Short mmCIF file of all heavy atoms in Angstrom, two decimals:
data_model
loop_
_atom_site.label_atom_id
_atom_site.label_comp_id
_atom_site.label_asym_id
_atom_site.label_seq_id
_atom_site.Cartn_x
_atom_site.Cartn_y
_atom_site.Cartn_z
N PRO A 196 -8.73 -14.75 -33.77
CA PRO A 196 -7.32 -14.81 -34.15
C PRO A 196 -6.73 -16.21 -34.15
O PRO A 196 -5.89 -16.52 -35.01
CB PRO A 196 -6.64 -13.92 -33.10
CG PRO A 196 -7.71 -12.95 -32.69
CD PRO A 196 -8.98 -13.74 -32.71
N ALA A 197 -7.19 -17.07 -33.23
CA ALA A 197 -6.66 -18.44 -33.19
C ALA A 197 -6.98 -19.18 -34.48
O ALA A 197 -6.21 -20.05 -34.92
CB ALA A 197 -7.23 -19.18 -31.99
N GLY A 198 -8.12 -18.85 -35.09
CA GLY A 198 -8.49 -19.51 -36.34
C GLY A 198 -7.60 -19.12 -37.50
O GLY A 198 -7.61 -19.78 -38.55
N GLY A 199 -6.80 -18.06 -37.33
CA GLY A 199 -5.90 -17.63 -38.39
C GLY A 199 -4.80 -18.62 -38.70
O GLY A 199 -4.11 -18.48 -39.72
N SER A 200 -4.65 -19.63 -37.87
CA SER A 200 -3.63 -20.65 -38.15
C SER A 200 -3.93 -21.39 -39.45
O SER A 200 -3.03 -22.02 -40.02
CB SER A 200 -3.55 -21.65 -36.99
OG SER A 200 -4.78 -22.33 -36.82
N VAL A 201 -5.18 -21.31 -39.93
CA VAL A 201 -5.54 -21.97 -41.19
C VAL A 201 -4.73 -21.41 -42.36
O VAL A 201 -4.54 -22.09 -43.37
CB VAL A 201 -7.06 -21.82 -41.46
CG1 VAL A 201 -7.43 -20.38 -41.75
CG2 VAL A 201 -7.51 -22.72 -42.60
N PHE A 202 -4.20 -20.20 -42.20
CA PHE A 202 -3.44 -19.59 -43.29
C PHE A 202 -1.95 -19.88 -43.21
O PHE A 202 -1.19 -19.49 -44.10
CB PHE A 202 -3.68 -18.07 -43.28
CG PHE A 202 -5.13 -17.70 -43.25
CD1 PHE A 202 -5.66 -17.00 -42.16
CD2 PHE A 202 -5.98 -18.07 -44.26
CE1 PHE A 202 -7.00 -16.67 -42.11
CE2 PHE A 202 -7.34 -17.75 -44.23
CZ PHE A 202 -7.85 -17.04 -43.14
N ASP A 203 -1.52 -20.56 -42.13
CA ASP A 203 -0.11 -20.87 -41.96
C ASP A 203 0.39 -21.74 -43.12
O ASP A 203 -0.31 -22.65 -43.58
CB ASP A 203 0.12 -21.61 -40.63
CG ASP A 203 -0.08 -20.71 -39.43
OD1 ASP A 203 -0.24 -19.49 -39.61
OD2 ASP A 203 -0.10 -21.25 -38.29
N GLY A 204 1.58 -21.48 -43.55
CA GLY A 204 2.20 -22.29 -44.59
C GLY A 204 2.03 -21.73 -45.99
O GLY A 204 2.75 -22.14 -46.91
N PHE A 205 1.09 -20.81 -46.17
CA PHE A 205 0.89 -20.19 -47.49
C PHE A 205 1.73 -18.92 -47.55
O PHE A 205 1.25 -17.81 -47.31
CB PHE A 205 -0.59 -19.89 -47.71
CG PHE A 205 -1.47 -21.11 -47.77
CD1 PHE A 205 -2.42 -21.35 -46.79
CD2 PHE A 205 -1.34 -22.03 -48.80
CE1 PHE A 205 -3.23 -22.46 -46.83
CE2 PHE A 205 -2.15 -23.16 -48.85
CZ PHE A 205 -3.10 -23.39 -47.87
N THR A 206 2.99 -19.08 -47.87
CA THR A 206 3.93 -17.97 -47.76
C THR A 206 3.65 -16.85 -48.76
O THR A 206 3.78 -15.67 -48.44
CB THR A 206 5.37 -18.47 -47.93
OG1 THR A 206 5.48 -19.17 -49.19
CG2 THR A 206 5.76 -19.42 -46.80
N HIS A 207 3.27 -17.22 -49.98
CA HIS A 207 2.95 -16.19 -50.97
C HIS A 207 1.69 -15.43 -50.53
O HIS A 207 1.62 -14.21 -50.67
CB HIS A 207 2.72 -16.82 -52.35
CG HIS A 207 3.84 -17.69 -52.81
ND1 HIS A 207 5.11 -17.19 -53.04
CD2 HIS A 207 3.89 -19.03 -53.07
CE1 HIS A 207 5.89 -18.19 -53.45
NE2 HIS A 207 5.18 -19.31 -53.45
N LEU A 208 0.73 -16.15 -50.00
CA LEU A 208 -0.53 -15.56 -49.57
C LEU A 208 -0.33 -14.58 -48.42
O LEU A 208 -0.85 -13.47 -48.43
CB LEU A 208 -1.50 -16.66 -49.14
CG LEU A 208 -2.88 -16.19 -48.66
CD1 LEU A 208 -3.76 -15.84 -49.84
CD2 LEU A 208 -3.55 -17.25 -47.80
N THR A 209 0.44 -14.98 -47.42
CA THR A 209 0.61 -14.11 -46.25
C THR A 209 1.42 -12.86 -46.59
O THR A 209 1.18 -11.79 -46.03
CB THR A 209 1.24 -14.88 -45.08
OG1 THR A 209 2.44 -15.53 -45.51
CG2 THR A 209 0.27 -15.93 -44.54
N ALA A 210 2.37 -12.98 -47.52
CA ALA A 210 3.11 -11.79 -47.96
C ALA A 210 2.18 -10.84 -48.71
O ALA A 210 2.22 -9.61 -48.54
CB ALA A 210 4.29 -12.19 -48.83
N TRP A 211 1.32 -11.40 -49.57
CA TRP A 211 0.32 -10.59 -50.29
C TRP A 211 -0.66 -9.96 -49.31
O TRP A 211 -1.03 -8.78 -49.46
CB TRP A 211 -0.42 -11.49 -51.27
CG TRP A 211 -1.74 -10.98 -51.75
CD1 TRP A 211 -1.97 -10.13 -52.78
CD2 TRP A 211 -3.02 -11.30 -51.20
NE1 TRP A 211 -3.32 -9.88 -52.92
CE2 TRP A 211 -3.99 -10.59 -51.96
CE3 TRP A 211 -3.46 -12.11 -50.15
CZ2 TRP A 211 -5.35 -10.68 -51.70
CZ3 TRP A 211 -4.81 -12.20 -49.88
CH2 TRP A 211 -5.75 -11.48 -50.65
N GLU A 212 -1.10 -10.71 -48.29
CA GLU A 212 -2.02 -10.18 -47.29
C GLU A 212 -1.45 -8.91 -46.64
O GLU A 212 -2.17 -7.91 -46.46
CB GLU A 212 -2.26 -11.25 -46.22
CG GLU A 212 -3.16 -10.81 -45.08
CD GLU A 212 -3.13 -11.79 -43.92
OE1 GLU A 212 -2.48 -12.86 -44.02
OE2 GLU A 212 -3.76 -11.48 -42.89
N ALA A 213 -0.17 -8.94 -46.33
CA ALA A 213 0.47 -7.76 -45.72
C ALA A 213 0.47 -6.58 -46.69
O ALA A 213 0.29 -5.43 -46.28
CB ALA A 213 1.89 -8.11 -45.29
N ARG A 214 0.67 -6.86 -47.98
CA ARG A 214 0.66 -5.77 -48.96
C ARG A 214 -0.74 -5.15 -49.09
O ARG A 214 -0.88 -3.93 -49.20
CB ARG A 214 1.15 -6.28 -50.32
CG ARG A 214 2.64 -6.59 -50.37
CD ARG A 214 3.13 -6.82 -51.78
NE ARG A 214 2.64 -8.06 -52.37
CZ ARG A 214 3.23 -9.24 -52.23
NH1 ARG A 214 4.33 -9.36 -51.49
NH2 ARG A 214 2.73 -10.32 -52.82
N VAL A 215 -1.76 -5.99 -49.07
CA VAL A 215 -3.13 -5.47 -49.17
C VAL A 215 -3.47 -4.66 -47.92
O VAL A 215 -4.04 -3.56 -48.01
CB VAL A 215 -4.15 -6.61 -49.37
CG1 VAL A 215 -5.58 -6.06 -49.38
CG2 VAL A 215 -3.87 -7.35 -50.68
N LYS A 216 -3.12 -5.16 -46.76
CA LYS A 216 -3.38 -4.43 -45.52
C LYS A 216 -2.73 -3.05 -45.54
O LYS A 216 -3.32 -2.05 -45.08
CB LYS A 216 -2.87 -5.23 -44.32
CG LYS A 216 -3.14 -4.58 -42.98
CD LYS A 216 -2.66 -5.46 -41.83
CE LYS A 216 -2.96 -4.80 -40.49
NZ LYS A 216 -2.51 -5.66 -39.36
N ALA A 217 -1.53 -2.98 -46.11
CA ALA A 217 -0.79 -1.71 -46.14
C ALA A 217 -1.43 -0.68 -47.06
O ALA A 217 -1.12 0.52 -46.97
CB ALA A 217 0.65 -1.97 -46.58
N LEU A 218 -2.37 -1.09 -47.92
CA LEU A 218 -3.05 -0.14 -48.81
C LEU A 218 -3.94 0.82 -48.03
O LEU A 218 -4.25 1.91 -48.50
CB LEU A 218 -3.89 -0.90 -49.84
CG LEU A 218 -3.12 -1.76 -50.84
CD1 LEU A 218 -4.10 -2.65 -51.61
CD2 LEU A 218 -2.31 -0.90 -51.79
N GLY A 219 -4.37 0.40 -46.85
CA GLY A 219 -5.20 1.25 -46.01
C GLY A 219 -6.63 1.35 -46.50
O GLY A 219 -7.09 0.57 -47.34
N HIS A 220 -7.33 2.36 -45.98
CA HIS A 220 -8.76 2.53 -46.24
C HIS A 220 -9.09 3.90 -46.81
O HIS A 220 -10.25 4.34 -46.72
CB HIS A 220 -9.56 2.32 -44.95
CG HIS A 220 -9.54 0.93 -44.42
ND1 HIS A 220 -9.79 0.62 -43.10
CD2 HIS A 220 -9.31 -0.26 -45.04
CE1 HIS A 220 -9.71 -0.68 -42.93
NE2 HIS A 220 -9.41 -1.24 -44.09
N GLY A 221 -8.15 4.59 -47.38
CA GLY A 221 -8.41 5.95 -47.83
C GLY A 221 -8.45 6.89 -46.63
O GLY A 221 -7.91 6.60 -45.58
#
Side-chain angles (χ1 to χ4, degrees):
S200 62
V201 68
F202 309 117
D203 290 352
F205 296 114
T206 56
H207 307 297
L208 180 78
T209 52
W211 161 86
E212 177 192 355
R214 289 192 290 273
V215 176
K216 183 178 181 179
L218 295 169
H220 292 157

